[in-house]
Amino acid sequence: MTLKNPCFHQSFIKNHAPFALHMHKKFNWHHSNGCFMNHWKLPFLNTLQKKNKKALGCYDAKCIKAMMASSNGNTNTKTYSVKALVAVKRCGGVGILSNIVSDCLDGIKQLIGSILVLELVSNDLDQKTNLEKKTIKGNVHEVEKKDDGVQLYEATFELPKDFGNVGAVLVENGHHKEVFLKSIVLHGVHNGPIDFTCNSWIQPKHHDPAKRVFFSNKTYLPSQTPHGLRRLREEELLLLRGHGKGERKCYERIYDYDVYNDLGIPDISIDLKRPILGGTQHPYPRRCRTGRKHSHADPRSEQKYPFFYVPRDEAFAEIKQIQFTTTTISLGLSAILESLDTIFIDPNQGFASFQDIDMLYKEGFHLPPLEPKWLMFLHKVIPSFIKVANDDKNILHFDTPEAVKRDRFFWFSDEEFARETLAGVNPCSIQLVKEWPLKSKLEPQIYGPPESAITKEIIESQIIGYGTVEEAIEDKKLFILDYHDLFLPYVSKVRKIKGTTLYGSRTLFFLTKQGTLKPLAIELTRPIIDGKPQWKQVFTPASYSTDLWLWRLAKAHVLAHDSGYHELVNHWLGTHCALEPFIIATNRQLSSMHPIYKILHPHMKYTMEINSLAREVLICANGIIEISFSTNKYSMELSSMAYDQLWQFDLQALPNDLIHRGMALEDLNEPHGLKLTIEDYPFANDGLLIWEAIKQWVTEYINYYYSSSSVVESDQELQAWWKEIQKVGHGDKSKEPWWPDLETPKDLIHIITTIAWVASAHHAAVNFTQYTYGGYFPNRPTIARTKIPTEDPFEEEWKNFLQNPEQTLLECLPSQIQATLVMVILNLLSNHSPDEEYIGQYMEPSWGENQTINDAFERFNKRLKEIEGIIDSRNGDNTLKNRYGAGVVPYELMKPFSRPGITGKGIPYSTSI
């Protein structure tokens, strides 16, 4: 008998697809769209199976059974029936052999006995013994198959009248493969139905003998946990923490910490050894521990395997995995890395003209046939994309970025150069000039005189009709991009690498009456190096041809610095890397029943998997960053220095960040309690709307569960969580005074709002227009390959510059392979997945079951929709020139919702790409 109109809650958290497996010694494991299978030789096929293959799906009803019995064998007749609707994600086979193997093994299993065993757990203790009540089991049979790949089953349980409310379900998988369990809904129970949102892979018991526990969607603080569930709550957290030993297996769910000791490949070449990030020498956030064997050439470093462990439920869902692969194929990534023979022979070969760059978007490259040696290179550089290596079209073609569509020459404009510091892909570095003269804080005996070469006279000659430098500073009119002190210590190191160069740089801007920024001066500095004294020069906008081209070259260097800082500091470090310890601690210290776990859970999806992919492809030795960015092999070391000198948790909150950079002042009479220094600052204007919306939602949520400071202070899980983040996850910063206390609901609101902001809106602001602005790489070069012609010029070098300045600029810009690699990656990173979950759009199931929380979330959703309208209105306001104008890309990054693809808008819950 099946349920009529069953109450089935569709999952809000989509299926996770597995990551690639390496070759195990004992078995040859195969990826099978969400399943793992042993590739065994089969001596026979059951005759019945041959005749009835349609009944042999990946999770046929005959293959999923549960033992129906009372665990204590009690024959108590005072029972009542409870029905459960179980939703399982069906696995898709890959190829005929996969299906035959799966069918046969499923048939063998059905003869052996039970496959998936469910046990109901009571909230209550036995009144007589004061011990946990015995669990109850029940049979499972198929109800229906749904078009979305979900298979529904029904189980019947006989519960004693005094069993109490069901608070948990234990699950044991006797299958030979993992099973993705989406949900369980109990009907016929007291105060029912009861929902269990699972969304997790259940491993075969020969891999993991421990029964999986799933708690109902009800939310409990630790002190409020029903007595019958307390042991399970504590034991589940112990299992997730692990014991810190051994190598992690692909099917495990253990969350633990380690330093970044897997970025180098010293066993291949000692030149590929990289520093360990994390510790006193190179402070850094911690990553998820994998426990891999250590390198022979460098015992402190882990060996690199094709398989990168992340806890099983952190892996990409099938749709997300397909999105990565499909996008990569469409761009011809395989062709770039395997077929550009001339580029690989001379990796420094640049573009001959800007017309050749334009051809990337018009006709693309017609590439020579694939060669096996480049296939090997692809496997080393981007192993996750090896499946697309045989794209036989051999045409490399890019979509025209939105900025180029609107204005082909946008990148040449000084006004656009300045505008993008407020409304571009990196709007988080611009800051107010507060002191004059500008001075370095680096040691003069090592790096040279600290005084800037940007003098008062240079500035005042650029702001004729306004006044003095002092007046401009007092009126908050001068702003700066300051990459001087962070980059200068790496100039000498980087310049020993062929094909790249580096300076320390400062770029000054003036705030005009129109509310836009006007570039005033660029200073490039080379420190004391190889016996040569410090060299520095200031470049200004000019009409004279020679000075004009030098200014353009100086801008190219600054843009390379800005690109590097954006990618390594504001993007990777500030969102991906810094968030991982919060995710690890949340899973280790907060039960899935905890209200803070539930509000953070949407903000954690896919982050650990994407971070793992970054370590595998982007930030590793000889990865995309090292190949294509000015800082080359020192990129991650520079990121560590930025963490040490600049990262503070309190400054990750948007209002604090704006105040710290001088971009806002506290003013209770202004909206959001802030007065912006630049009124038309799109990132700040729109960002504060999102910040306030998140804060209001978090405030209502937390105030519901935490009525007083004593409730916060007595929450042992919460206090352990916050302590572990500081002492372990960000242990290199544990003694810093800026860590917020966690004593009051207000403290907790600020902490959770900050984490949610960073994971969602801040990441969106620095990610989803990367292709819009960087897809045309002259606008945002990631590397400057040649020094400025005026630095110790050779006669022939200077002559070539005077005769063909455009060629000098092209030689400074990225090479063909560098440019195309970065364009592929930026396209990939700027893409929204079809299964993207946008902030405020999808509700965690537990929130819908609580009317107060449900109403608060609905208000959150409504406010986000209102914000979309406000942003549209702002983008249509012709007085806001930093977001409106002929050829100007409107600022839509803070619009919460988006369609799939490259849209330049949409705020996913999590740092998921």
Side-chain angles (χ1 to χ4, degrees):
M1 177 178 178
T2 61
L3 292 176
K4 184 176 182 181
N5 298 323
C7 175
F8 174 64
H9 288 251
Q10 180 63 38
S11 170
F12 290 90
I13 307 297
K14 304 296 188 297
N15 175 24
H16 292 142
F19 31 77
L21 290 174
H22 64 286
M23 301 294 288
H24 290 271
K25 293 181 179 179
K26 188 174 181 180
F27 299 109
N28 182 7
W29 291 95
H30 287 266
H31 177 194
S32 182
N33 284 351
C35 303
F36 297 109
M37 56 170 282
N38 292 111
H39 190 174
W40 294 342
K41 294 182 178 179
L42 302 175
F44 65 91
L45 283 176
N46 182 279
T47 303
L48 176 62
Q49 291 172 330
K50 290 181 180 179
K51 294 180 179 179
N52 194 16
K53 289 185 179 180
K54 290 184 179 179
L56 298 174
C58 187
Y59 295 112
D60 192 279
K62 296 178 182 178
C63 299
I64 300 182
K65 299 176 67 179
M67 299 298 293
M68 177 181 175
S70 172
S71 297
N72 59 7
N74 195 339
T75 59
N76 184 0
T77 58
K78 296 181 178 180
T79 63
Y80 64 100
S81 295
V82 171
K83 294 184 183 294
L85 195 65
V86 182
V88 173
K89 182 73 173 179
R90 296 198 304 272
C91 295
V94 178
I96 297 175
L97 179 60
S98 171
N99 291 329
I100 291 175
V101 173
S102 177
D103 291 349
C104 184
L105 291 178
D106 285 350
I108 293 172
K109 278 291 185 180
Q110 77 171 10
L111 296 176
I112 292 175
S114 62
I115 298 299
L116 196 66
V117 180
L118 309 181
E119 303 178 39
L120 304 189
V121 181
S122 173
N123 278 346
D124 305 326
L125 298 178
D126 189 297
Q127 292 182 351
K128 295 181 180 180
T129 64
N130 205 33
L131 299 175
E132 295 172 7
K133 294 184 177 182
K134 298 295 184 180
T135 60
I136 307 297
K137 304 178 183 180
N139 285 335
V140 171
H141 61 273
E142 182 179 337
V143 176
E144 70 173 296
K145 295 179 181 179
K146 296 174 68 69
D147 292 338
D148 59 0
V150 174
Q151 195 157 342
L152 302 184
Y153 299 90
E154 189 179 273
T156 303
F157 303 86
E158 292 296 323
L159 268 61
K161 292 286 187 179
D162 62 351
F163 189 75
N165 289 328
V166 178
V169 177
L170 299 178
V171 182
E172 184 179 63
N173 178 17
H175 204 276
H176 67 279
K177 294 187 292 186
E178 61 180 4
V179 175
F180 189 79
L181 184 61
K182 294 181 70 66
S183 65
I184 302 169
V185 183
L186 298 183
H187 296 266
V189 293
H190 302 306
N191 301 319
I194 300 177
D195 292 271
F196 298 79
T197 302
C198 306
N199 289 311
S200 183
W201 293 99
I202 314 300
Q203 299 303 322
K205 62 183 180 181
H206 67 267
H207 278 163
D208 185 2
K211 297 175 183 178
R212 283 294 305 279
V213 59
F214 292 100
F215 301 105
S216 73
N217 290 349
K218 296 186 183 300
T219 300
Y220 298 104
L221 293 173
S223 62
Q224 300 169 341
T225 309
H227 291 282
L229 304 180
R230 290 189 173 184
R231 177 186 61 83
L232 290 175
R233 179 171 184 153
E234 294 172 0
E235 289 182 354
E236 175 71 359
L237 287 175
L238 288 174
L239 288 172
L240 289 169
R241 293 170 197 158
H243 48 61
K245 300 177 182 178
E247 183 175 351
R248 297 272 65 86
K249 304 299 188 295
C250 63
Y251 51 80
E252 292 180 326
R253 297 186 305 130
I254 293 175
Y255 296 79
D256 201 358
Y257 301 94
D258 206 346
V259 295
Y260 280 75
N261 62 353
D262 63 344
L263 301 180
I265 323 174
D267 286 339
I268 293 179
S269 169
I270 200 63
D271 291 335
L272 297 179
K273 177 181 176 181
R274 295 294 180 265
I276 309 301
L277 303 186
T280 55
Q281 187 174 2
H282 298 291
Y284 218 54
R286 298 303 189 260
R287 65 166 175 90
C288 183
R289 180 184 177 276
T290 60
R292 291 170 292 186
K293 294 179 181 179
H294 280 213
S295 161
H296 300 293
D298 178 18
R300 296 184 62 209
S301 297
E302 280 189 351
Q303 293 181 4
K304 279 192 175 296
Y305 299 164
F307 159 69
F308 272 57
Y309 169 79
V310 293
R312 184 67 187 95
D313 290 337
E314 302 293 336
F316 288 148
E318 289 180 58
I319 294 177
K320 185 78 168 181
Q321 193 76 48
I322 292 169
Q323 181 250 346
F324 265 72
T325 307
T326 303
T327 304
T328 305
I329 291 173
S330 67
L331 290 171
L333 177 61
S334 59
I336 304 170
L337 294 175
E338 298 169 29
S339 312
L340 290 177
D341 299 276
T342 57
I343 292 178
F344 279 95
I345 292 172
D346 181 8
N348 292 316
Q349 180 177 327
F351 289 89
S353 67
F354 285 98
Q355 287 75 21
D356 285 349
I357 297 173
D358 293 339
M359 294 301 289
L360 288 172
Y361 313 102
K362 294 180 180 179
E363 297 182 7
F365 283 151
H366 294 268
L367 305 174
L370 304 178
E371 291 190 18
K373 59 181 179 180
W374 306 136
L375 186 65
M376 291 294 294
F377 180 86
L378 175 64
H379 182 68
K380 291 177 182 178
V381 176
I382 309 184
S384 297
F385 300 144
I386 192 69
K387 294 179 182 178
V388 303
N390 294 318
D391 179 14
D392 57 3
K393 292 183 179 180
N394 289 340
I395 297 177
L396 174 63
H397 180 270
F398 291 93
D399 294 330
T400 303
E402 183 64 23
V404 178
K405 289 179 182 177
R406 288 174 176 263
D407 182 356
R408 180 182 172 190
F409 302 104
F410 80 106
W411 66 281
F412 232 42
S413 162
D414 286 349
E415 288 76 11
E416 179 66 15
F417 169 57
R419 190 191 73 85
E420 287 183 29
T421 66
L422 301 172
V425 70
N426 184 31
C428 310
S429 292
I430 190 75
Q431 55 186 310
L432 180 70
V433 175
K434 301 176 183 178
E435 297 179 353
W436 193 268
L438 303 174
K439 280 190 176 182
S440 170
K441 296 179 181 179
L442 300 174
E443 299 178 39
Q445 60 271 30
I446 298 177
Y447 301 104
E451 294 80 13
S452 170
I454 303 177
T455 64
K456 178 180 179 179
E457 290 73 23
I458 292 174
I459 297 303
E460 291 178 351
S461 67
Q462 300 288 318
I463 57 173
I464 295 174
Y466 179 80
T468 65
V469 167
E470 289 79 10
E471 290 172 333
I473 292 175
E474 183 178 353
D475 293 344
K476 297 180 173 56
K477 296 292 185 181
L478 285 185
F479 297 84
I480 188 171
L481 285 179
D482 192 348
Y483 300 130
H484 185 278
D485 284 12
L486 184 66
F487 280 70
L488 204 63
Y490 289 92
V491 171
S492 178
K493 297 177 181 180
V494 167
R495 288 192 172 204
K496 294 177 182 178
I497 302 171
K498 183 180 179 182
T500 185
T501 193
L502 193 63
Y503 294 98
S505 69
R506 297 184 179 101
T507 306
L508 256 63
F509 302 87
F510 177 74
L511 181 61
T512 69
K513 293 180 180 180
Q514 290 75 34
T516 59
L517 291 178
K518 171 187 175 182
L520 299 178
I522 292 173
E523 178 187 31
L524 300 180
T525 303
R526 180 201 70 196
I528 299 171
I529 184 172
D530 297 332
K532 297 179 181 179
Q534 182 193 73
W535 176 90
K536 61 180 68 172
Q537 185 173 346
V538 178
F539 304 87
T540 60
S543 56
Y544 174 57
S545 60
T546 300
D547 293 341
L548 176 60
W549 276 101
L550 288 172
W551 168 251
R552 289 168 176 164
L553 285 163
K555 278 203 304 182
H557 282 274
V558 168
L559 288 167
H561 300 166
D562 191 66
S563 294
Y565 188 91
H566 160 259
E567 209 66 73
L568 294 168
V569 181
N570 285 337
H571 186 194
W572 161 254
L573 172 63
T575 58
H576 292 264
C577 177
L579 282 174
E580 187 152 335
F582 290 89
I583 298 170
I584 297 172
T586 298
N587 284 278
R588 285 169 55 87
Q589 299 298 340
L590 300 180
S591 167
S592 60
M593 289 191 284
H594 199 289
I596 299 305
Y597 176 92
K598 290 182 182 295
I599 196 172
L600 286 179
H601 187 258
H603 296 291
M604 301 187 297
K605 186 176 181 181
Y606 295 153
T607 302
M608 292 182 71
E609 173 79 341
I610 202 70
N611 287 1
S612 171
L613 185 61
R615 294 189 350 250
E616 187 178 1
V617 175
L618 297 177
I619 64 175
C620 58
N622 265 6
I624 304 299
I625 295 291
E626 289 197 1
I627 290 172
S628 307
F629 282 70
S630 289
T631 43
N632 199 274
K633 64 185 289 186
Y634 299 103
S635 295
M636 292 306 294
E637 188 179 328
L638 183 142
S639 178
S640 168
M641 180 180 284
Y643 176 73
D644 184 33
Q645 296 180 5
L646 304 174
W647 191 87
Q648 296 182 199
F649 177 78
D650 60 329
L651 296 183
Q652 306 312 300
L654 177 60
N656 293 352
D657 167 55
L658 295 173
I659 293 170
H660 178 72
R661 290 191 283 121
M663 303 303 291
L665 292 173
E666 288 189 81
D667 188 339
L668 298 180
N669 296 319
E670 294 287 332
H672 319 296
L674 294 177
K675 180 175 177 57
L676 294 180
T677 311
I678 300 176
E679 291 184 9
D680 181 16
Y681 182 7
F683 164 70
N685 290 117
D686 297 356
L688 286 169
L689 293 174
I690 299 296
W691 170 270
E692 288 296 331
I694 294 173
K695 183 179 179 181
Q696 182 60 37
W697 151 242
V698 171
T699 298
E700 294 186 53
Y701 184 93
I702 287 176
N703 284 341
Y704 177 83
Y705 292 103
Y706 295 91
S707 58
S708 66
S709 297
S710 61
V711 182
V712 173
E713 292 178 314
S714 63
D715 187 334
Q716 296 178 347
E717 286 185 9
L718 184 68
Q719 295 298 329
W721 169 77
W722 189 234
K723 181 179 179 181
E724 184 169 283
I725 287 168
Q726 296 177 57
K727 302 296 183 183
V728 185
H730 284 277
D732 297 334
K733 297 269 191 176
S734 62
K735 297 181 180 179
E736 297 290 351
W738 39 254
W739 283 105
D741 295 324
L742 183 49
E743 299 173 351
T744 68
K746 184 178 179 181
D747 295 337
L748 183 56
I749 289 166
H750 174 71
I751 290 168
I752 300 303
T753 302
T754 301
I755 296 171
W757 160 262
V758 172
S760 59
H762 177 73
H763 176 259
V766 298
N767 185 75
F768 289 110
T769 55
Q770 290 194 87
Y771 192 74
T772 300
Y773 292 112
Y776 187 77
F777 68 89
N779 184 60
R780 287 192 65 77
T782 56
I783 186 172
R785 296 187 294 151
T786 59
K787 64 182 180 65
I788 208 85
T790 52
E791 181 200 341
D792 303 331
F794 296 105
E795 182 177 347
E796 183 178 355
E797 179 185 10
W798 183 251
K799 181 180 179 181
N800 290 338
F801 165 65
L802 293 177
Q803 291 179 347
N804 194 344
E806 181 178 310
Q807 185 61 38
T808 301
L809 178 58
L810 285 166
E811 291 172 358
C812 181
L813 295 176
S815 68
Q816 292 189 44
I817 186 61
Q818 290 166 337
T820 49
L821 273 174
V822 170
M823 290 163 68
V824 168
I825 295 301
L826 296 188
N827 186 288
L828 187 64
L829 297 181
S830 300
N831 247 289
H832 283 299
S833 171
D835 69 340
E836 200 83 87
E837 293 180 4
Y838 297 101
I839 189 169
Q841 189 175 34
Y842 295 101
M843 185 187 299
E844 282 284 286
S846 63
W847 303 343
E849 296 186 8
N850 182 306
Q851 191 62 50
T852 301
I853 301 302
N854 181 83
D855 291 347
F857 183 84
E858 291 295 339
R859 285 190 290 273
F860 180 42
N861 174 267
K862 181 181 178 181
R863 179 54 181 162
L864 292 174
K865 291 177 180 177
E866 292 171 352
I867 289 172
E868 289 222 320
I870 294 171
I871 292 174
D872 286 338
S873 176
R874 288 173 174 177
N875 285 330
D877 187 343
N878 62 10
T879 67
L880 302 177
K881 300 186 184 304
N882 291 318
R883 62 196 308 155
Y884 177 93
V888 172
V889 177
Y891 193 79
E892 297 187 308
L893 282 163
M894 292 294 113
K895 293 185 69 171
F897 313 119
S898 174
R899 65 182 186 279
I902 299 177
T903 64
K905 60 184 175 183
I907 303 176
Y909 267 116
S910 63
T911 301
S912 58
I913 192 168

